[in-house]
Amino acid sequence: MPTTTPSPDTELASEQEHLAESRRQLARMRERTAALDAGAAADWVSREFLESTFALRMKQLADDPTVPLFFGRVDDESGERFHIGRRHVSDPQGEPLVVDWRAPVSLPFYRASRAEPMGTVLRRRYGFERGRLTAFEDEHLTAGEQTEHSAILEAEIERPRVGPMRDIVATIQPEQDVIVRSELARSVCVQGAPGTGKTAVGLHRAAYLLYAHREQLTRQGVLVVGPNASFLRYIRDVLPALGEIEATQTTIEELATKTLRSVAPKQEVRGHDDATVATLKGDARLAEVLRRALWAHVVAPTEGLVVPRGASRWRVASYEVEEVLDGLRSRGVRYGAARAMLPQALAHRVLVRMELAGDSPDDRVQDAVARSAPVMKYAAEIWPAVDPAKLLWRLLSEPEALAAAADGLLDPDEQAALLWAKPPRSAGTARWSLADAVLLDEAVDLVERTPSLGHIVADEAQDLSPMMLRMLGRRSSTGSLTVLGDLAQATTPWATRSWAEALAHLGKPDAHVEELTRGFRVPGEVIEFAARLLPHVAPDLAPPTSVRRTRGELTVTGGDVVDHVRDAVAREGSVGVIVPDALVPVTAADLRAAGIEHAVLGEREDDVDQHLDLVRASLAKGLEFDHVVLVEPAAIVAAEPDRVTGLRRLYVCLTRAVTSLVVVHEHPLPEELVVG
Ligand SMILES: Nc1ncnc2c1ncn2[C@@H]1O[C@H](COP(=O)(O)OP(=O)(O)OP(=O)(O)O)[C@@H](O)[C@H]1O
């Protein structure tokens, strides 16, 4: 057994002194940064850069007395010891008092075991109470101890959940750490049962990569993509708590809206597609339809090019122009880039004619010819500029345009389904749906290459359509991805069927797929209950297990929802009342009438900070609460377009509880949930 408190008082006192000294040194580092003067910079650009660098550094050096400066220690064989914390702290001589958890020397803290001690003789974990170091616990990795049980680790996993998600830096598990520290060039896909820490792992990987490749990733950017705004609010504090404020956190809808606004300012996603149409619009075949529709704008010339210059008239025959077009088409560049090359390519042909006639024109002549009115006009006619929004608007409005581009790809029924019932008069007045905006993103990229970021973390990726996956794929074409999800929790009609398929759409077919099955959220009794649905929703997946010591409390009952909520609210920790979407108004009214204060998730900016959240079933994904009151499971299932999706939605809702789950129902439970 590792030794726990009570420990020798002197050892505890010495650790407390180390903490106090680390805090003093952190304060010194902060003072030094505050005294740095950006005014000495040579010009305003450098000054702005320095000022923002100093401001960032000040934020990173902020000391929150409630957050321990270090949480662990490793002693190696040579007698060196390293205290491990969220940030690096050193003394004036540069000697480290605390090393960053992401530094290579911290690795054994997460990975060393008795079987593989990695040169480490001791691993120490610290217990804190309100920022005060109160206990420690040692594991001697080279001694012949048998049990690997940590009370401090267990306490961290068992702690009640309050407010937004917290970092897990003190307790990252070896199988999670392998993902967190996998190299930047490598794309990783994590399939994981509910509560196995996918979101946590993705965020910690972003923090790790930003540390290990700071300069590159600050330049190229890191993006975290989550399913909706409430989820982003739930995770928003994790990266800043790890000192990382550079990563952008967003949703697919926000990304698509940005694209929409880039072609049609002030536009919003306002339209709505039914499930069949949205699924069709999310189909990867649409990428080919768009590509064909765009490139069909390049037309074979009916006449050759004539360029008057001085007394001469230079001619390029139409068959030669066709050769030029073929050459540009086969270069593998975007429509817009190839279009920009056309005048020069035509001018080059004119130059060849001049040379054949005995002239010796130079580059300046070629430039002048390329910029001349006849060449520009001719080029614009055979290779016109295309507005991506108009391109899409035409495809969705004009049956002939769609038929021409979709021939052999979409059958007549599919084409009919895609067309707007009442086409808007112009692209500018269209009510674009989310699926449309995603198609627009594809069209924009066909015209002009979308810049790639350094790394993207895509959470709940099982719910993305092929076209949405392509959207993220093009934003990481030269970067890498962390793809997180659970096929059993897929609830969109266009959800992916397999990770191999999703990764192919993302352009990363070789990404490594890891599976996590040890659950840190849902206690045993609750996860076993939820897992009854697994054979019906994802028969190929391994059933999740729980590492929680407590078995949890599961109650399946009738009675008044308000009474159950009242009981839950009286307990420690957060409470989520998860109801079928349609029951939100009546449940909110009942809670109000009973004087129970609550927030309706998704309605307010501070929703995830509340003690009690009323959560519509369709918004529960990714969240967790100490106590969950789940109302009318059968109605949650019935609200979805098909049974499997309904059962998956229910599986998501059943797996949000950390301590207790009360299922309240009047109608019979779905039969898949009843065994025997
Ligand atoms: N190593 C760990 N130590 C302590 N807590 C952990 C650890 N890993 C995960 N957790 C906790 O378990 C809970 C679930 O984690 P997370 O939300 O990342 O899981 P998930 O796999 O994304 O779940 P879901 O599929 O339901 O969205 C969180 O409270 C997280 O802090």
Side-chain angles (χ1 to χ4, degrees), residues 157 161 165 168 171-173 176 193-200 460 489 520-521 622 624 656:
I157 291 170
R161 309 301 208 262
M165 189 174 195
I168 58 161
T171 56
I172 296 172
Q173 294 300 289
Q176 298 177 322
T196 48
K198 297 181 294 296
T199 301
E460 306 291 356
Q489 296 184 60
F520 296 85
R521 173 195 303 135
E624 66 184 14
R656 301 302 104 200

